Amino acid sequence: SQKIEQNSEALNIQEGKTATLTCNYTNYSPAYLQWYRQDPGRGPVFLLLIRENEKEKRKERLKVTFDTTLKQSLFHITASQPADSATYLCALPPRNTGKLIFGQGTTLQVKP
Amino acid sequence: DTAVSQTPKYLVTQMGNDKSIKCEQNLGHDTMYWYKQDSKKFLKIMFSYNNKELIINETVPNRFSPKSPDKAHLNLHINSLELGDSAVYFCASSPRDRGLKQFFGPGTRLTVL
C-alpha cells in the first residue's frame, strides 16, 4: 500500500543544535516533494520544494535532501531557535493526480 | 492583505444540521482545494476545483458539496452533519502548475455535538 511516514513522536532539541526530520514514502514515485510548517491553530505554510533530479536544496537555515532510491527526504534546520518550534509536514504528488498527499507531520520543540 | 480567507473560524452545531464554510483567495490562482485535518492531524484532500470546474473528488460522503461561483471562491456545504465530521477544514489555492506550492487558509474548526 502507499504510505508517507514521518516520526509521529515529537522531536525535542536544544537551541542552537541542528534538527533533522525524516519523511519516508512507500509505493510512490513523486516528481517532487514539499515541506510545510504548521503552527497551532493555523494553516500549513509552504517552506521548500525539491524535485526528483535535485539531491539537496537550501533556504537560509533550512536544508532538504531527496533520495529517490531510499524513498526518503530529510529536512534540516541548522542553528535552531525556539521560534522554529512547530509541526513540519512533508507532502508529495502521486503522478498524474494533481493532488498532494501529506504525511502526519513531526512536531519539533526547540528548548532555550 | 489576506491571501486565503475562510469564514467562519469556528463552527459549533448539532448533529443533523446543515452548514456552510466559505473560502476566498485574492492571489489570482486558478486552483482551489478543500482539505480535512482530523484529530490525529492527518491532512487529507477532499475536493479540488480548477477555474470553477471540479477536478478532484475524493471518496467523500455526498453530504459534502463544494460550490465554486467563480475562481476566487470555493464554498463547502455540509448536509446532515454527523459527529465524525468534527475536524478542522482548510481551504487552499495554488497557481497554474497543479500541486505546486499550496497556500492555505487559517482553517475552520467544526465541532458537531
Side-chain angles (χ1 to χ4, degrees):
Chain A
S1 64
Q2 294 175 314
K3 286 191 295 188
I4 303 177
E5 292 180 305
Q6 297 183 252
N7 282 348
S8 55
E9 291 181 12
L11 178 63
N12 295 301
I13 65 166
Q14 206 66 35
E15 182 176 8
K17 301 291 186 185
T18 296
T20 299
L21 285 68
T22 305
C23 177
N24 294 302
Y25 58 92
T26 308
N27 292 327
Y28 287 112
S29 297
Y32 57 84
L33 192 142
Q34 301 181 11
W35 284 88
Y36 289 78
R37 169 181 173 145
Q38 186 173 21
D39 290 284
R42 292 177 171 255
V45 175
F46 173 85
L47 295 175
L48 282 165
L49 180 150
I50 186 165
R51 299 185 187 277
E52 61 182 337
N53 61 351
E54 298 174 314
K55 295 290 184 189
E56 179 180 299
K57 201 140 186 194
R58 292 176 187 260
K59 179 183 174 183
E60 298 171 354
R61 293 183 296 109
L62 308 180
K63 184 178 86 170
V64 172
T65 63
F66 192 11
D67 189 325
T68 55
T69 301
L70 289 179
K71 295 188 181 293
Q72 179 182 79
S73 175
L74 298 179
F75 177 82
H76 306 271
I77 306 176
T78 57
S80 60
Q81 305 165 1
D84 295 326
S85 300
T87 296
Y88 292 87
L89 306 166
C90 67
L92 57 83
R95 293 218 185 236
N96 302 317
T97 61
K99 65 183 179 183
L100 284 180
I101 305 298
F102 283 82
Q104 188 178 5
T106 298
T107 298
L108 172 68
Q109 187 73 33
V110 181
K111 297 182 190 288
Chain B
D1 290 342
T2 304
V4 182
S5 59
Q6 293 178 230
T7 53
K9 175 79 172 165
Y10 299 97
L11 189 51
V12 181
T13 188
Q14 299 287 333
M15 258 192 330
N17 285 350
D18 303 338
K19 290 292 178 186
S20 293
I21 307 172
K22 294 186 176 183
C23 177
E24 176 181 0
Q25 55 98 2
N26 63 4
L27 298 167
H29 292 164
D30 287 334
T31 309
M32 295 185 72
Y33 310 80
W34 277 111
Y35 286 86
K36 178 180 180 180
Q37 189 169 45
D38 61 24
S39 57
K40 295 185 178 179
K41 305 298 183 187
F42 278 108
L43 190 63
K44 292 185 180 175
I45 190 166
M46 301 172 69
F47 302 102
S48 173
Y49 270 74
N50 184 274
N51 210 1
K52 300 194 299 176
E53 182 182 344
L54 180 67
I55 56 172
I56 293 173
N57 185 348
E58 294 293 286
T59 50
V60 177
N62 58 14
R63 297 182 295 104
F64 290 78
S65 52
K67 284 190 172 50
S68 181
D70 56 62
K71 77 172 194 176
H73 295 85
L74 180 61
N75 304 322
L76 182 65
H77 188 77
I78 316 170
N79 288 327
S80 303
L81 278 155
E82 300 178 357
L83 293 176
D85 297 332
S86 296
V88 182
Y89 292 84
F90 288 100
C91 177
S93 69
S94 67
R96 185 174 298 274
D97 293 324
R98 294 186 304 171
L100 292 179
K101 195 172 180 181
Q102 309 243 308
F103 293 76
F104 283 86
T108 296
R109 181 173 291 278
L110 171 64
T111 303
V112 182
L113 303 175

